Amino acid sequence: MIPRSFFLQLIEQEFGEFEDFLHQSTDREIHGFLAELHPADIADIVERLQEEDRTRVLGLLSEELAAEVLTLVEDHHKPEVLESIPEQTLSKIVRHMESDDVTDILEEMPREEAEEILEALPKQDSEQVRRLMSYPPDSAGGLMQTELIKVPPDFTLGQSIQRIREKQAEVGEILSVYVVNESEVLLGIIPLRTLILEDPGKKVSEVMVSAVISALVTMDQEQVAALFRKYDFISLPVVDAQSKLLGRILVDDVVDVIEEEASEDMYRLAGVDKEERVNDPPLRSIRLRLPWLGINLLTAILAASVVGFFQTTIQKVVVLAVFMPIVAGMGGNAGTQSLTVITRGIALGDLTFSNAKRVLFKEVLTGLMNGLLLGGLMAVLAFLYRGNPMLGVVIGLAMICNMFIAALAGTAVPLILKWAKVDPALASGVFVTTFTDVTGFFSFLGLATLFLRFLT
């Protein structure tokens, strides 16, 4: 058998060679190769294959392995991967998945097909998945799984361990045991470490951690991620408004949320739709990018109209055209820096309305000081370039003004949008760019017009 490392090298460097191997090998040889791979490696292969080859590879996997592979396929690849699996086969595969993963799979499918899969599941599993699908995907309810271990407070630790042994096959990864009363209200948690180290004869109520931090089922996924980050959780119980235990969220799902939110913010700051991918066809990319480019065109026209207002000044002092992009560009860069820091601070929960005034002062002071330093440097360079000290004064003052406004806009705009309940990452970039371009051109050309007799 060819070593696994050889195949991994082919996958990473020359995927075409791996496809050749696939076409030239028997099912037994391919199955033997796949059996040695981690499910994440198989998921990577499946995402890259053409439909016919993908169907063949998936058909060679056991139902248990196929279930694990499907959970590891990237979300934007799931629809096309699911199309490669016959419906009857998929119905069997999802039985080996945890409830949250089944929900993710079904949400990627057409409604009628998803309904048929649900009908094929055991009644209890089907009801659990339907309940999960009723929650928004970006909420705690949409992230949680219903499989967990729960015990009453009058159980002994020995009885709790026996409950784990009985339920292990259906629950999967067990990190802690949840203590509930007869109404399913969450009373406490017993870490697995405690179960192992404490006397099996002790009552659950004696050793449980009663100060439980939980997520409300309606909580936004960003807030859930913030809880995991703040308290270093590896799992988190989910409850309803009456503190009834509904499920749990594991850290692997939160890692996906953090990556998704970070990518979404990055895309939105650039005016790119979060659904766009590098392998998308040109027409899809055009459709997704064109609206934001159209908005940027309007803001560019606004900035150009400011330049047009001072065209007489530019005609008299043509050298101003050389320095205009510098003033506007430096303001744009300063605004982007402030905007990025503020948007990230809002996303992480570090910036709230309670400390906004202090942060605003800090950012404005930073912009002003950077403007003084860089404006002074640019004033000297402009003087050396043209030998006119007033040209240096004009460009220096314009840079100070624009970098001050850039820091102010880069901080205030996302805060105002957050107050208006609009995603700061979605629209901040357009507003900040408009502010810096208009302010940069107006301050530079306005000052030049004011001191025109000293420049000609």
Side-chain angles (χ1 to χ4, degrees):
M1 181 181 291
I2 304 176
R4 172 176 179 267
S5 58
F6 169 76
F7 287 107
L8 291 178
Q9 185 177 10
L10 288 182
I11 293 168
E12 292 299 324
Q13 297 179 4
E14 296 292 341
F15 193 72
E17 294 184 31
F18 171 74
E19 289 181 309
D20 291 340
F21 158 78
L22 198 62
H23 298 155
Q24 297 166 8
S25 303
T26 64
D27 286 353
R28 182 177 180 180
E29 290 173 327
I30 297 170
H31 182 272
F33 158 59
L34 295 174
E36 296 184 18
L37 292 181
H38 189 281
D41 294 328
I42 302 175
D44 187 45
I45 293 172
V46 167
E47 290 173 357
R48 302 191 197 190
L49 289 172
Q50 298 298 318
E51 183 174 357
E52 183 178 345
D53 292 334
R54 185 188 299 126
T55 301
R56 181 186 181 194
V57 167
L58 290 171
L60 294 174
L61 305 179
S62 66
E63 292 173 4
E64 293 86 348
L65 181 55
E68 192 168 358
V69 168
L70 281 181
T71 62
L72 295 171
V73 170
E74 295 288 342
D75 287 344
H76 56 280
H77 284 297
K78 275 181 181 171
E80 61 191 52
V81 172
L82 291 173
E83 288 178 3
S84 305
I85 306 175
E87 191 174 304
Q88 288 184 338
T89 303
L90 185 59
S91 298
K92 296 176 182 177
I93 290 174
V94 296
R95 296 188 183 203
H96 300 279
M97 293 182 179
E98 294 172 339
S99 56
D100 59 330
D101 292 323
V102 178
T103 303
D104 291 340
I105 292 292
L106 297 185
E107 286 176 343
E108 297 292 339
M109 300 176 63
R111 187 179 183 87
E112 292 183 3
E113 293 181 20
E115 189 62 34
E116 290 177 7
I117 298 290
L118 283 169
E119 291 294 336
L121 290 174
K123 184 178 180 181
Q124 184 178 355
D125 294 344
S126 177
E127 289 175 352
Q128 288 179 343
V129 173
R130 288 181 192 278
R131 187 166 66 251
L132 291 180
M133 293 179 71
S134 69
Y135 299 116
D138 57 355
S139 69
L143 290 175
M144 74 178 182
Q145 59 179 238
T146 55
E147 295 85 1
L148 48 77
I149 304 292
K150 52 189 176 182
V151 297
D154 58 353
F155 256 38
T156 63
L157 296 187
Q159 288 175 305
S160 299
I161 292 172
Q162 182 59 35
R163 174 69 60 86
I164 291 175
R165 290 171 178 160
E166 293 170 356
K167 298 286 186 178
Q168 189 276 332
E170 63 184 75
V171 173
E173 189 170 5
I174 300 172
L175 304 169
S176 54
V177 172
Y178 299 97
V179 185
V180 297
N181 64 15
E182 63 278 359
S183 300
E184 298 290 308
V185 172
L186 180 63
L187 302 177
I189 294 178
I190 308 176
L192 202 56
R193 171 186 172 89
T194 302
L195 282 171
I196 295 171
L197 297 179
E198 291 285 352
D199 181 356
K202 281 188 175 182
K203 292 283 188 181
V204 163
S205 56
E206 296 179 59
V207 299
M208 71 180 186
V209 178
S210 56
V212 181
I213 297 173
S214 57
L216 192 62
V217 70
T218 55
M219 181 180 286
D220 184 85
Q221 64 179 11
E222 286 192 58
Q223 294 174 294
V224 173
L227 287 177
F228 272 84
R229 183 172 56 248
K230 182 176 181 178
Y231 297 104
D232 289 329
F233 287 146
I234 53 177
S235 68
L236 179 68
V238 180
V239 299
D240 63 12
Q242 289 74 44
S243 296
K244 181 178 178 180
L245 181 63
L246 300 178
R248 62 174 180 161
I249 300 172
L250 300 182
V251 69
D252 59 329
D253 294 313
V254 175
V255 170
D256 294 338
V257 169
I258 294 172
E259 180 183 359
E260 176 188 331
E261 294 292 341
S263 298
E264 183 177 322
D265 287 348
M266 180 178 67
Y267 271 48
R268 286 181 167 178
L269 282 170
V272 179
D273 192 284
K274 66 178 182 179
E275 300 299 327
E276 184 172 353
R277 294 293 180 269
V278 67
N279 293 321
D280 283 347
L283 287 178
R284 174 175 165 80
S285 293
I286 292 170
R287 179 173 57 82
L288 293 176
R289 298 183 193 184
L290 193 58
W292 277 109
L293 290 176
I295 294 173
N296 285 330
L297 177 60
L298 294 177
T299 62
I301 292 172
L302 178 60
S305 67
V306 174
V307 176
F309 184 76
F310 293 102
Q311 58 182 325
T312 302
T313 301
I314 298 173
Q315 288 172 354
K316 292 181 179 179
V317 188
V318 179
V319 72
L320 295 175
V322 176
F323 294 101
M324 281 167 44
I326 297 175
V327 177
M330 290 303 297
N333 290 335
T336 300
Q337 287 179 333
S338 293
L339 176 61
T340 303
V341 171
I342 297 303
T343 303
R344 187 62 179 153
I346 291 173
L348 293 176
D350 297 333
L351 176 57
T352 62
F353 291 116
S354 61
N355 65 349
K357 186 181 295 186
R358 179 175 57 82
V359 173
L360 178 62
F361 177 77
K362 186 268 289 187
E363 285 297 323
V364 168
L365 181 62
T366 301
L368 185 60
M369 293 305 298
N370 283 336
L372 284 168
L373 294 171
L374 296 174
L377 175 62
M378 198 62 226
V380 173
L381 294 175
F383 168 69
L384 294 175
Y385 177 64
R386 299 296 292 184
N388 187 332
M390 187 51 66
L391 178 63
V393 171
V394 168
I395 191 170
L397 289 174
M399 284 188 64
I400 293 170
C401 178
N402 199 26
M403 293 186 74
F404 168 81
I405 294 296
L408 179 63
T411 306
V413 167
L415 284 171
I416 292 170
L417 290 173
K418 178 176 174 58
W419 175 78
K421 301 189 184 303
V422 177
D423 187 350
L426 178 61
S428 296
V430 174
F431 288 117
V432 172
T433 301
T434 302
F435 269 111
T436 55
D437 285 350
V438 170
T439 303
F441 291 139
F442 187 83
S443 60
F444 181 50
L445 296 175
L447 288 168
T449 302
L450 187 63
F451 298 109
L452 184 60
R453 62 194 181 93
F454 299 105
L455 298 175
T456 54

